[in-house]
Amino acid sequence: MARILVVYGTTEGQTAKIADVIADALRGDGHDAESVAVDSLGDSIPSDRDGVVIGASIHMGKHDKRVVQMVHKNRDLLDRLPSAFFSVSLAAHGDTQEAEGYVDRFEEETGWRPDQVALFSGALLYTQYGFVKRHLMKRIAKDKPGELGLDTSRDYVYTEWDAVQRFAEHFAEQLGPGAT
Ligand SMILES: Cc1cc2nc3c(=O)[nH]c(=O)nc-3n(C[C@H](O)[C@H](O)[C@H](O)COP(=O)(O)O)c2cc1C
């Protein structure tokens, strides 16, 4: 059984949900896994972990700054452990090239080369945005490829949960057998 930390940076909550699903799947594989918001991690990843999964969402073309800083600070540890990164964006839904570009920039910025990388589609949560954000997001959604929803009276969740599950299972395979 491996001890795995899933760290996430979220603004509207979708990356937190994905991190929870990953931690659940890892526990299902017999590992000791917990998901933790980057804000409550403190400065460093505890050194007693056997593997780390990190997730961050994209806003205005950039990954969550708190996650970028945390990865910077913990580079040495991350380089020694099995590690995976998942990026959450709307670009991942229909504009893979842009979503890949975000990750390339993240890797350049942090110098971290995770063993495994996934691009997950996020959500358009119109009903939870304030007035300005709702209209901004509708404008962005109109211009983006991938037929994003434009009805601001409802939310759209594009995350493919099967792909999230497979990502977690693939990571678990690198760690050897769990305790089930
Ligand atoms: C203000 C705002 C800006 C965003 N900018 C981008 C962007 O530049 N590119 C993109 O692909 N997705 C963008 N998104 C979509 C988010 O990545 C998506 O909503 C994701 O689910 C957010 O994850 P979170 O809830 O974990 O923060 C943006 C969303 C918001 C609300």
Side-chain angles (χ1 to χ4, degrees):
M1 177 178 71
R3 295 196 73 194
I4 306 152
L5 191 67
V6 183
V7 186
Y8 61 85
T10 189
T11 303
E12 285 93 23
Q14 192 62 14
T15 308
K17 282 188 189 149
I18 296 171
D20 287 347
V21 168
I22 291 169
D24 258 357
L26 291 168
R27 282 193 293 272
D29 272 328
H31 296 291
D32 175 359
E34 61 169 336
S35 60
V36 176
V38 65
D39 292 331
S40 53
L41 185 67
D43 254 0
S44 19
I45 294 171
S47 56
D48 61 349
R49 304 304 156 119
D50 305 306
V52 182
V53 178
I54 295 176
S57 60
I58 292 283
H59 286 81
M60 298 307 181
K62 291 192 173 134
H63 281 103
D64 194 309
K65 211 158 72 186
R66 297 162 299 180
V67 173
V68 173
Q69 285 165 353
M70 185 275 293
V71 168
H72 252 304
K73 280 191 193 135
N74 290 275
R75 261 289 305 286
D76 287 350
L77 183 74
L78 288 170
D79 285 344
R80 289 199 302 272
L81 293 175
S83 66
F85 177 65
F86 65 95
S87 168
V88 180
S89 67
L90 286 175
H93 182 78
D95 192 356
T96 318
Q97 221 173 338
E98 189 180 337
E100 280 170 357
Y102 295 149
V103 174
D104 288 346
R105 244 170 293 148
F106 176 82
E107 291 190 353
E108 265 166 41
E109 243 182 297
T110 60
W112 178 41
R113 300 282 179 275
D115 302 319
Q116 200 184 321
V117 173
L119 311 172
F120 295 135
S121 307
L124 262 177
L125 305 177
Y126 287 124
T127 67
Q128 296 173 44
Y129 301 149
F131 181 82
V132 174
K133 211 190 236 187
R134 191 160 56 244
H135 286 276
L136 170 75
M137 289 315 291
K138 185 173 176 176
R139 238 183 32 223
I140 290 175
K142 252 189 204 157
D143 294 342
K144 278 202 183 292
E147 295 185 11
L148 294 165
L150 300 174
D151 176 359
T152 56
S153 68
R154 53 160 291 195
D155 296 335
Y156 297 87
V157 175
Y158 297 105
T159 309
E160 290 160 345
W161 298 107
D162 287 353
V164 174
Q165 198 77 26
R166 283 197 300 277
F167 169 79
E169 279 161 15
H170 186 246
F171 187 66
E173 279 163 20
Q174 327 284 308
L175 301 164
T180 47

